[in-house]
């Protein structure tokens, strides 16, 4: 499989190049040049052995091609999933009022990001050890990306990871999942600022093409194609659990931030999976405005109790445009250029309809998130994380409008509630501590604090130079 940029000027990259780079050199994002189609008969066949792990082995090779031989790939995938705590990997509890939750939080850092990230860590190590090249990953996180990336690459030989987390702005447990990792290839900074301040510093590093090349700098946010690729499998798994006959449509509701997860859903649909997708967002409702009004406006972010979705620049949107228009690079290029200039664009009507044929949307206010957590707890004795509650609020609303709609609906649970005790308390439900939480709270930590008046850019550059020196000594 070859990879092209959404903006049309970069074509024919290998999977290896796609995994090891972030943005394409024309500023766009990478997507495969074609999408393999899965027929209804194939779906029925797959439904006979409906394990998540077996679907990964069926779908991921369609996009990797012969770049990782099958027996190596199986080893890498086994390693990637070896640390997961639930044998079925994605349990689907069924609750009152036809509420079905796909629990995607049984990896090391309790968010859905672990599933794809742990695979991508293994792909990177495979390619880098083969080419004997060291990679430094830079990650500015609002909470879950940093911990999932650290967990995926801790102790790997060919990768170092530098993470900036927003001190005091993510949950205490999210922070501990980063600061308690003591391996030498993990470097954590607690910066006194919001994600916009951090993005500014990281943007400056990434804009220095020569520096990026010299020190081989990459990222593991959802710009990385390989994360999207693994996430495609989630939709097939959830669908087959609900409709093993491969006939009826299933609606899948996705707590959405940067749109990486929903992009994977759009690709699953493009491959022939009969799903209807809904993006659920909090008061950072940029995506809702795009879908409902065709209006893309970038605004400052608002802090909510669902912090991993506090994003007003859903950067994977251009991938969705590309998927929905069969790769119209000129159109995507034009729209992104306009957006850069004006921070406010109106989508052409045809594109708006094309996007709507893939996704619907729903936005919810803070008070409704809390009320949803409370109702689900009262009804089921089941505790939702605040991100998942955003999507469950959609289910409760639809149920009140249309009781007779019998299309199956599944809510993707993007994180475990045990990561967000503060939000649970605000919603009036109890927080149950457990062994995992207590171990984290007792573990030794290591990090560097960055204060407002310090030069973060210089600190980051110094760290990258230090990693490079250490690497030379090893070589
Ligand atoms: C990252 C994250 C999201 C948003 O996912 P995107 O792929 O960026 O849309 C939602 N919920 C949780 C808990 C997350 O960690």
């Amino acid at each position: 499989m070859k990879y092209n940029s959404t903006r049309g000027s970069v074509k024919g990259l290998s999977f290896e190049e796609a995994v090891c780079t972030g943005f394409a050199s024309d500023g766009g994002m990478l997507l495969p040049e074609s999408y393999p189609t899965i027929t209804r008969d194939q779906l029925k066949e797959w439904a006979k052995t409906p394990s998540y792990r077996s679907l990964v082995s069926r779908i991921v090779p369609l996009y990797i091609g012969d770049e990782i031989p099958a027996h190596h790939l199986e080893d890498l995938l086994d390693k990637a999933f070896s640390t997961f705590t639930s044998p079925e990997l994605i349990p689907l509890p069924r609750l009152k009022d036809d509420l079905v939750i796909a629990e995607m939080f049984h990896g090391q850092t309790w968010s859905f990001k672990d599933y794809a990230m742990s695979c991508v860590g293994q792909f990177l190590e495979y390619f880098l050890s083969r080419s004997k090249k060291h990679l430094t990953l830079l990650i500015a996180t609002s909470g879950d990306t940093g911990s999932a990336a650290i967990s995926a690459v801790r102790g790997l030989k060919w990768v170092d990871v530098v993470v900036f987390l927003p001190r005091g702005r993510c949950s205490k447990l999210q922070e501990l999942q980063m600061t308690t990792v003591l391996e030498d290839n993990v470097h954590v900074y607690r910066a006194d600022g919001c994600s916009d301040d951090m993005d500014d510093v990281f943007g400056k590093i990434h804009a220095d093409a020569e520096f990026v090349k010299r020190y081989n700098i990459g990222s593991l946010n959802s710009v990385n194609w390989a994360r999207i690729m693994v996430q495609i499998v989630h939709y097939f798994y959830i669908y087959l659990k609900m409709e093993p006959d491969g006939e009826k449509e299933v609606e899948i509701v996705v707590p959405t931030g940067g749109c990486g997860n929903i992009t994977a859903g759009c690709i699953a649909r493009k491959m022939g999976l009969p799903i209807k997708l809904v993006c659920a967002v909090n008061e950072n409702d940029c995506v809702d405005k795009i879908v409902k009004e065709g209006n893309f406006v970038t605004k400052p972010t608002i802090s909510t109790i669902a912090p991993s979705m506090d994003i007003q620049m859903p950067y994977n949107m251009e991938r969705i445009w590309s998927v929905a228009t069969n790769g119209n690079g000129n159109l995507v290029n034009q729209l992104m250029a306009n957006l850069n200039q004006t921070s406010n664009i109106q989508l052409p009507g045809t594109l708006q309809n094309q996007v709507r044929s893939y996704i619907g949307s729903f936005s919810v206010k803070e008070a409704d998130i809390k009320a949803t957590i409370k109702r689900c707890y009262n009804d089921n004795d089941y505790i939702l994380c605040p991100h998942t509650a955003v999507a469950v609020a959609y289910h409760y609303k639809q149920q009140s409008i249309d009781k007779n709609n019998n299309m199956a609906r599944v809510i993707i649970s993007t994180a475990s509630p045990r990561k967000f005790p503060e939000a649970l308390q605000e919603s009036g439900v109890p927080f149950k501590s457990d062994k995992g939480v207590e171990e984290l709270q007792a573990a030794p930590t290591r990090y560097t604090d960055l204060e407002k008046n310090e030069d973060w850019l210089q600190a980051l550059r110094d760290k990258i130079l230090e990693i490079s020196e250490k690497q030379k000594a090893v070589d």
Side-chain angles (χ1 to χ4, degrees):
M1 181 65 80
K2 294 291 179 211
Y3 291 87
N4 300 340
S5 165
T6 46
R7 303 201 192 167
S9 310
V10 175
K11 287 194 159 67
L13 298 190
S14 64
F15 175 71
E16 177 174 356
E17 289 170 305
V19 179
C20 296
T21 46
F23 287 100
S25 57
D26 62 357
M29 303 173 86
L30 295 171
L31 279 175
E33 63 182 4
S34 64
Y35 301 93
T37 313
I38 306 302
T39 62
R40 301 280 153 111
D41 286 342
Q42 247 166 324
L43 282 179
K44 271 189 207 161
E45 189 55 37
W46 287 359
K48 289 181 191 157
T49 46
S51 84
Y52 172 73
R53 179 63 187 79
S54 71
L55 286 174
V56 179
S57 290
R58 288 184 160 118
I59 293 168
V60 159
L62 303 174
Y63 291 102
I64 298 183
D66 57 6
E67 288 188 57
I68 304 179
H71 62 286
H72 279 309
L73 183 60
E74 286 304 308
D75 284 350
L76 298 177
L77 294 173
D78 283 341
K79 250 190 239 162
F81 292 111
S82 64
T83 56
F84 280 64
T85 52
S86 166
E88 63 218 298
L89 299 174
I90 308 176
L92 277 97
R94 289 162 192 253
L95 308 178
K96 200 177 153 196
D97 295 325
D98 297 323
L99 176 59
V100 184
I101 307 266
E103 289 185 351
M104 299 210 56
F105 50 72
H106 296 283
Q108 285 287 294
T109 71
W110 317 342
S111 88
F112 81 99
K113 294 187 171 77
D114 286 327
Y115 293 71
M117 200 82 88
S118 55
C119 296
V120 181
Q122 295 298 324
F123 299 154
L124 282 176
E125 185 78 350
Y126 175 80
F127 288 123
L128 294 167
S129 63
R130 208 172 59 174
S131 60
K132 305 238 174 304
K133 221 170 153 190
H134 178 270
L135 178 72
T136 298
L137 296 169
L138 302 187
I139 294 166
T141 185
S142 61
D144 294 327
T145 307
S147 51
I150 288 173
S151 165
V153 307
R154 61 191 294 180
L156 295 184
K157 183 165 172 228
W158 296 94
V159 184
D160 275 66
V161 61
V162 184
V163 172
F164 276 33
L165 69 87
R167 172 165 24 120
R169 291 165 175 85
C170 55
S171 84
K172 190 70 201 157
L173 287 165
Q174 283 181 311
E175 185 179 314
L176 285 171
Q177 285 184 333
M178 296 182 253
T179 55
T180 55
V181 178
L182 305 181
E183 273 89 347
D184 287 343
N185 70 330
V186 175
H187 316 271
V188 176
Y189 290 87
R190 302 191 322 165
D192 183 16
C194 66
S195 60
D196 288 341
D197 304 330
M198 302 193 297
D199 284 342
D200 190 43
V201 173
F202 283 67
K204 282 186 181 132
I205 296 265
H206 282 292
D208 185 347
E210 204 231 336
F211 188 84
V212 166
K213 194 153 188 265
R214 169 144 30 113
Y215 296 104
N216 202 25
I217 288 167
S219 185
L220 265 194
N221 57 22
S222 60
V223 172
N224 195 302
W225 157 253
R227 283 187 56 196
I228 309 282
M229 172 183 80
V230 178
Q231 287 173 19
I232 295 169
V233 183
H234 307 160
Y235 294 88
F236 278 89
Y237 178 70
I238 291 169
Y239 178 82
L240 289 174
K241 277 301 224 193
M242 300 302 289
E243 284 293 334
D245 292 339
E247 297 294 341
K248 282 198 229 145
E249 272 199 324
V250 173
E251 184 170 70
I252 303 181
V253 192
V254 188
T256 296
C259 282
N261 204 2
I262 197 83
T263 296
C266 292
I267 294 176
R269 186 178 152 86
K270 188 145 191 105
M271 292 169 74
L273 192 68
I275 50 174
K276 236 180 125 237
L277 294 160
V278 178
C279 297
V281 295
N282 60 28
E283 281 165 72
N284 296 288
D285 60 357
C286 180
V287 175
D288 190 45
K289 292 266 186 308
I290 294 173
V291 174
K292 294 218 175 83
E293 296 161 23
N295 189 217
F296 193 154
V297 191
T298 53
K299 289 182 295 195
T301 44
I302 306 163
S303 279
T304 75
I305 61 167
S308 302
M309 294 159 63
D310 292 345
I311 294 178
Q312 286 285 39
M313 178 56 211
Y315 47 87
N316 276 290
M317 187 51 68
E318 66 177 275
R319 277 193 167 122
I320 295 175
W321 291 342
S322 185
V323 170
T325 62
N326 295 317
N328 187 340
N330 283 338
L331 176 70
V332 173
N333 198 27
Q334 187 64 53
L335 289 172
M336 291 311 290
N338 292 350
L339 186 66
N340 268 341
Q341 270 170 7
T342 63
S343 316
N344 182 345
I345 57 171
Q346 188 63 35
L347 304 188
T350 37
L351 177 61
Q352 213 177 317
N353 290 335
Q354 283 163 322
V355 167
R356 280 206 208 124
S357 73
Y358 280 82
I359 53 179
S361 74
F362 175 72
S363 128
V364 58
K365 298 251 185 306
E366 190 92 342
D368 281 339
I369 302 177
K370 292 180 186 166
T372 302
I373 293 175
K374 184 90 185 158
R375 169 171 167 190
C376 187
Y377 176 70
N378 288 347
D379 284 1
N380 306 287
D381 205 12
Y382 184 93
I383 301 181
L384 297 169
C385 101
H387 308 83
T388 308
V390 172
V392 172
Y394 170 80
H395 176 72
Y396 285 161
K397 172 149 181 254
Q398 290 306 108
Q399 276 236 324
S400 68
I401 302 172
D402 183 5
K403 279 215 176 329
N404 301 322
N405 180 359
N406 56 11
M407 191 196 302
R409 179 183 298 126
V410 179
I411 308 301
I412 292 191
S413 176
T414 46
S416 164
R418 59 213 271 256
K419 227 171 164 170
F420 303 97
E422 301 92 340
L424 300 184
Q425 197 182 4
E426 281 182 49
S427 310
V429 306
F431 173 68
K432 296 193 192 98
S433 191
D434 56 43
K435 197 156 147 274
V437 170
E438 279 155 23
E439 277 171 6
L440 260 184
Q441 282 164 337
T445 56
R446 189 184 68 207
Y447 53 80
T448 308
D449 272 334
L450 285 174
E451 304 308 328
K452 273 215 165 67
N453 57 7
E454 284 179 89
D455 187 344
W456 298 2
L457 183 60
Q458 192 57 45
L460 184 53
R461 280 177 180 273
D462 289 348
K463 178 49 90 178
I464 293 166
L465 296 187
E466 181 197 311
I467 291 169
S468 157
E469 288 303 315
K470 179 189 80 178
Q471 196 57 34
K472 273 192 210 135
V474 175
D475 290 352

